[in-house]
Amino acid sequence: MDVRGYIEANSRGYFDALKQWLAIPSISADPARREDVRRSAEWLAARLRATGFPAAEVWETGSTDPSGGRGLPAVFAEWRSDDPGAPVVLVYGHHDVQPVEPLEEWHSPPFQPAERDGQLLARGASDDKGQVLFHDLGLRACLAAGAPAARSAPPVTLKLLVEGEEESGSPHLADLLRRERERLSCDVIVITDTSIWAPDVPSMCVGMRGLFGAQIDMTGPELDLHSGSFGGGVPNPLHAMAALLGGLHDSGGRVTLPGFYDQVAPLSAQERELIGRLPMREKEWLAAAGHSRAASGEAGYGTLERIWARPTAEINGMWGGHTGPGGKTIIPARAHAKLSFRLVAHQEPAAVEAALRRYVADHTPPGIEATVTSEGPGVRPAFSPIDSPAVAAGRRAMERAFGREVLFTREGGSGPEADLTDILQAPLVFIGTGLDDDRIHAPNEKAEMALLLKGAEAAAYLWDELAAAGPELTAGRPGGTESG
Ligand SMILES: [Zn+2]
């Protein structure tokens, strides 16, 4: 039996197991569900042990001091290859789910998984339990049917880290990665929490934009002034703020912060060509974009290039002065704005913060005081070059599963990927088979059952593809030796 045959023959067992797991309401944001998140972790660890993982553990996160900062548990599993030189691969996913409100909009209860017309309906079906568990089925297929004879261990050393707080912003992940850096050390990180373009247009995500946010406050006079008595004679902070914000982009839609583009990796001709081959229909895209009436952005780039591969500056809010009913003839004392920047490789949030501070200082007129307050350290962008050995191996695995060419996408969101790649010092490969219309985070989340099985098949091939690429992947190891 080959991999595909094995997966077909065992799909019922996979879906039945997945439905058991989906029935556990592991909502990380809900303090009343902490025990359910723990049960979800224990369920997965037991499943992985049943598959044959010699080690499958529930890891506590956060402070071990019960008085504060206790996190929700993650699952770690490890199965070493018989070949000590084989690459070490870490699969990352999450077993927590989003809240389910408004409940009345669900056609079937979110934690009573239902199968309908080839779809599996439940909270977590796509994001992310269905995708995490396809790795389990894929590994079973790889062991049973991936080689001439059944194997007793995977062709790569396989590690899994399945987090329980991703939907709550992964507050303890970075600490966990640092604490367990040794056991998590790897040559490649496989992220399994992404979408493909369409069922008949398989694709791989190769990047996620980063983020930096800040608030600007401007103060002019100590108090709101009568504009009849003082208007025209003192600087108006709202005018200064409007001019500063208006100058953030040039006439071509480029951000004007000094040095903003210095670290931006340009799109290669090959990437642009591949992005151009995605069947993007602008009308549909605009409809999904809140029925926007026109596309706009940086000159010289298409819409997908703008939202995936180019950085942005956005004004998220601006306020000050009189906004109530009727008129009020004042020079306002203060003006405020909130900004956020979407970043692409290899921009650093700290460098963007410095550039913003310089820009604000340069654009604050005499008599106005401006302060910039950052909204935290920001998120670094994540990016995998399409010609890197790990992405090439992932692409071959996806192409074998889907039987057609696999294109590349990027995603706008910013998850824990940057921490994973930064702290563990390994490249990312995104193997996911969700769809953008899976209604993740919304009522009636679903997964296409056929695509979950395609994911399992890609996962089954992935270990052999990565093993074959071994020397290229392990070349970056310190001392060239096994680091795990
Ligand atoms: Zn999610």
Side-chain angles (χ1 to χ4, degrees):
M1 189 183 287
D2 63 2
V3 162
R4 186 168 297 169
Y6 179 94
I7 287 172
E8 274 163 20
N10 290 276
S11 62
R12 190 32 46 203
Y14 160 76
F15 286 119
D16 287 346
L18 177 56
K19 284 158 83 173
Q20 278 182 17
W21 195 21
L22 289 168
I24 303 173
S26 51
I27 304 169
S28 57
D30 184 350
R33 296 293 191 189
R34 293 183 71 88
E35 274 316 301
D36 291 311
V37 178
R38 179 168 304 280
R39 271 204 302 138
S40 163
E42 279 160 4
W43 185 94
L44 177 62
R47 174 79 185 177
L48 296 172
R49 279 192 292 271
T51 298
F53 274 89
E57 305 164 11
V58 173
W59 278 2
E60 302 303 329
T61 65
S63 167
T64 45
D65 172 0
S67 65
R70 202 72 199 263
L72 293 166
V75 174
F76 172 76
E78 179 173 7
W79 196 339
R80 301 189 82 85
S81 169
D82 293 334
D83 172 4
V88 181
V89 183
L90 176 72
V91 176
Y92 167 85
H94 62 91
H95 68 91
D96 62 322
V97 298
Q98 281 275 316
V100 290
E101 287 72 29
L103 250 186
E104 62 278 10
E105 288 185 21
W106 289 77
H107 302 316
S108 61
F111 298 112
Q112 290 173 30
E115 292 177 35
R116 199 170 304 147
D117 302 328
Q119 298 184 337
L120 185 60
L121 293 122
R123 170 60 85 229
S126 175
D127 178 22
D128 187 26
K129 286 174 176 168
Q131 300 204 48
V132 168
L133 206 61
F134 77 47
H135 277 289
D136 181 68
L137 175 59
L139 179 60
R140 290 175 183 224
C142 171
L143 295 171
R151 301 190 258 213
S152 57
V156 296
T157 286
L158 195 54
K159 301 179 180 183
L160 261 77
L161 178 64
V162 182
E163 200 198 344
E165 300 186 313
E166 197 270 351
E167 301 292 9
S168 299
S170 303
H172 302 104
L173 180 67
D175 283 345
L176 180 71
L177 296 176
R178 286 191 199 97
R179 188 184 88 198
E180 301 289 350
R181 201 190 319 241
E182 283 298 305
R183 292 192 73 191
L184 293 170
S185 71
C186 55
D187 301 303
V188 183
I189 300 164
V190 174
I191 306 283
T192 211
D193 190 12
T194 51
S195 319
I196 56 173
W197 181 268
D200 56 348
V201 187
S203 61
M204 287 170 74
C205 173
V206 288
M208 292 193 172
R209 289 198 290 188
L211 182 67
F212 173 72
Q215 177 167 329
I216 304 172
D217 300 286
M218 286 188 161
T219 310
E222 277 177 5
L223 69 172
D224 291 354
L225 297 176
H226 188 290
S227 68
S229 312
F230 300 100
V234 291
N236 179 324
L238 273 170
H239 293 201
M241 183 68 88
L244 179 142
L245 297 177
L248 261 183
H249 295 88
D250 68 15
S251 60
R254 276 174 72 89
V255 179
T256 56
L257 296 192
F260 188 68
Y261 294 93
D262 287 358
Q263 307 304 321
V264 171
L267 270 168
S268 70
Q270 190 198 5
E271 272 176 286
R272 298 191 80 168
E273 197 262 321
L274 288 168
I275 289 175
R277 270 155 61 189
L278 289 163
M280 149 92 164
R281 281 176 287 274
E282 189 142 287
K283 261 204 174 127
E284 285 169 30
W285 185 84
L286 286 171
H291 292 276
S292 292
R293 280 169 288 274
S296 88
E298 189 180 355
Y301 293 92
T303 295
L304 290 178
E305 294 171 343
R306 287 171 180 163
I307 62 172
W308 289 346
R310 300 297 295 169
T312 67
E314 311 286 346
I315 302 168
N316 311 124
M318 46 206 279
W319 68 102
H322 176 62
T323 55
K328 191 178 182 200
T329 50
I330 55 165
I331 313 291
R334 281 171 287 276
H336 314 274
K338 281 185 185 285
L339 307 183
S340 63
F341 299 84
R342 288 284 167 185
L343 312 181
V344 301
H346 306 281
Q347 287 178 302
E348 293 284 339
V352 172
E353 176 178 358
L356 176 66
R357 288 182 186 282
R358 210 152 59 239
Y359 173 85
V360 170
D362 291 347
H363 290 77
T364 303
I368 300 279
E369 206 176 280
T371 59
V372 175
T373 311
S374 78
E375 310 271 7
V379 178
R380 298 171 76 188
F383 177 62
S384 298
I386 62 172
D387 51 5
S388 63
V391 171
R395 191 185 193 201
R396 285 193 297 274
M398 287 283 280
E399 290 188 335
R400 286 170 66 185
F402 281 87
R404 51 174 84 209
E405 182 182 39
V406 166
L407 297 172
F408 295 109
T409 64
R410 302 199 198 182
E411 293 198 359
S414 303
E417 291 76 16
D419 278 340
L420 284 158
T421 190
D422 287 351
I423 297 171
L424 302 180
Q425 288 292 304
L428 302 173
V429 182
F430 297 82
I431 300 285
T433 57
L435 290 177
D436 285 346
D437 70 359
D438 280 347
R439 298 185 287 272
I440 66 168
H441 299 203
N444 303 306
E445 177 175 349
K446 59 90 175 165
E448 300 292 331
M449 294 166 77
L451 289 180
L452 290 174
L453 298 182
K454 284 290 171 208
E457 200 179 330
Y461 302 137
L462 181 63
W463 314 133
D464 283 317
E465 294 291 350
L466 287 169
E472 288 175 287
L473 295 169
T474 55
R477 280 184 192 170
T481 55
E482 164 82 64
S483 57

